[in-house]
């Protein structure tokens, strides 16, 4: 069985005061059976890691450059995330694809670099609203995956997050059977690509996950957790999602 994972993407939210939410999350101690990963802005990674201490909450970055180092103003190297204490990195988020023109080829290169640095990758894929309406969701998602997945035997260090772009931050969520179909297609592709190890990889759903809909989403086959944006910003909203995953 894949591990259950609840990952929080804080995007460009949070400063030192937001570490109080981590205190509250640790105090709630939601569920040891769930791996919790928080991906704060880069400026908070080191402080958050120190703050967490020996508690098992992991900390991740939100992107990294494909190069190991160099003249890339404003970018972050995978090794720098590791140096700051991060163990994970989100790659291929739709906001990086849209805001920074990240292509499948760039994401594939970032993934290789992040693997070399020792990070675990949360690889995001998902269709736009136009692609959804055109009925091309599975084609888009599988093409994004095929482009990004490494040939190396890295299955144990890659987590997939299926995030329909139109569901992110909108309150909209696909029907259960739509999520099930995409996650089944992702599972089949992972097993085709990685063999038996593909069956052990966690596939997260992301897009407007809230305490109210979490249990229903986690009951869907091949949904092993969630990548959560808005509702991960405070412990009161995130803890019930983690608890729902533990019960699933
Ligand atoms: C995200 O940005 O990865 C995300 C899932 O956001 P939200 O939960 O706010 O829809």
């Amino acid at each position: 069985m894949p591990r259950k994972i609840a990952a929080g993407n804080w995007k460009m939210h949070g400063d030192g005061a937001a570490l109080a939410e981590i205190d509250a999350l640790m105090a709630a101690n939601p569920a040891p059976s769930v791996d919790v990963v928080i991906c704060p802005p880069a400026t908070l990674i080191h402080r958050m890691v120190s703050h967490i201490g020996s508690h098992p909450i992991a900390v991740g970055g939100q992107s990294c450059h494909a190069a190991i180092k160099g003249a890339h103003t404003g970018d972050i190297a995978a090794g720098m995330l590791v140096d700051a204490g991060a163990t994970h990195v989100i790659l291929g988020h739709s906001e990086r694809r849209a805001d920074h023109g990240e292509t499948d080829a760039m994401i594939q290169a970032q993934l290789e670099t992040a693997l070399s640095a020792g990070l675990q990758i949360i690889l995001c894929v998902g269709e736009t609203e136009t692609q959804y309406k055109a009925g091309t969701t599975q084609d888009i998602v599988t093409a994004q995956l095929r482009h990004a997945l490494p040939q190396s035997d890295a299955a144990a260090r890659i987590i997939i997050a299926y995030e329909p772009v139109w569901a992110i931050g909108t309150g909209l969520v696909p029907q259960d059977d739509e999520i099930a179909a995409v996650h089944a297609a992702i599972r089949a592709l992972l097993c085709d690509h990685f063999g038996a190890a593909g069956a052990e990889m966690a596939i997260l759903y992301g897009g407007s996950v809230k305490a109210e809909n979490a249990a229903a989403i986690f009951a869907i086959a091949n949904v092993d957790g969630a990548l959560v944006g808005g509702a991960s910003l405070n412990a009161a909203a995130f803890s019930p999602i983690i608890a729902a995953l533990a019960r699933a």
Side-chain angles (χ1 to χ4, degrees), residues 9 11 93 95 163 167-170 206-210 227-231:
N9 175 13
K11 312 191 186 195
H93 193 281
E95 287 155 13
E163 299 206 305
I168 293 177
T170 59
S208 297
V209 177
K210 308 264 182 280
L227 178 55
V228 183

Side-chain angles (χ1 to χ4, degrees), residues 97-138:
R97 294 179 193 256
D99 296 355
H100 298 270
E102 292 190 358
T103 63
D104 287 334
M106 291 163 74
I107 292 158
Q108 199 274 336
Q110 293 165 1
L111 188 139
E112 294 286 358
T113 307
L115 283 175
S116 299
L119 290 164
Q120 299 197 49
I121 287 88
I122 301 172
L123 173 63
C124 300
V125 293
E127 82 286 1
T128 63
E129 184 177 18
T130 307
Q131 291 162 339
Y132 172 73
K133 287 185 172 160
T136 56
T137 296
Q138 289 200 23

Side-chain angles (χ1 to χ4, degrees), residues 3-179:
R3 289 282 305 163
K4 294 178 178 181
I5 299 171
N9 175 13
W10 281 18
K11 312 191 186 195
M12 202 170 71
H13 298 288
D15 53 18
L19 293 173
E21 296 301 331
I22 298 297
D23 289 331
L25 203 58
M26 291 192 289
N29 191 18
S33 61
V34 174
D35 292 350
V36 177
V37 186
I38 303 292
C39 301
T43 49
L44 266 185
I45 290 174
H46 184 63
R47 270 183 290 174
M48 189 175 285
V49 169
S50 304
H51 205 78
I52 288 170
S54 60
H55 193 282
I57 292 177
V59 178
Q62 298 176 8
S63 74
C64 70
H65 200 279
I68 294 169
K69 62 181 177 179
H72 303 291
T73 303
D75 279 312
I76 300 173
M80 293 170 180
L81 293 176
V82 173
D83 185 52
T87 52
H88 292 65
V89 64
I90 298 171
L91 295 178
H93 193 281
S94 60
E95 287 155 13
R96 297 292 308 178
R97 294 179 193 256
D99 296 355
H100 298 270
E102 292 190 358
T103 63
D104 287 334
M106 291 163 74
I107 292 158
Q108 199 274 336
Q110 293 165 1
L111 188 139
E112 294 286 358
T113 307
L115 283 175
S116 299
L119 290 164
Q120 299 197 49
I121 287 88
I122 301 172
L123 173 63
C124 300
V125 293
E127 82 286 1
T128 63
E129 184 177 18
T130 307
Q131 291 162 339
Y132 172 73
K133 287 185 172 160
T136 56
T137 296
Q138 289 200 23
D139 294 341
I140 297 297
V141 166
T142 53
Q144 288 173 336
L145 274 179
R146 284 193 196 286
H147 269 104
L149 290 176
Q151 290 310 316
S152 58
D153 185 14
R157 291 205 284 130
I158 300 175
I159 299 156
I160 308 299
Y162 167 54
E163 299 206 305
V165 179
W166 53 272
I168 293 177
T170 59
L172 302 172
V173 176
Q175 301 295 317
D176 290 358
D177 61 340
E178 294 176 312
I179 296 175

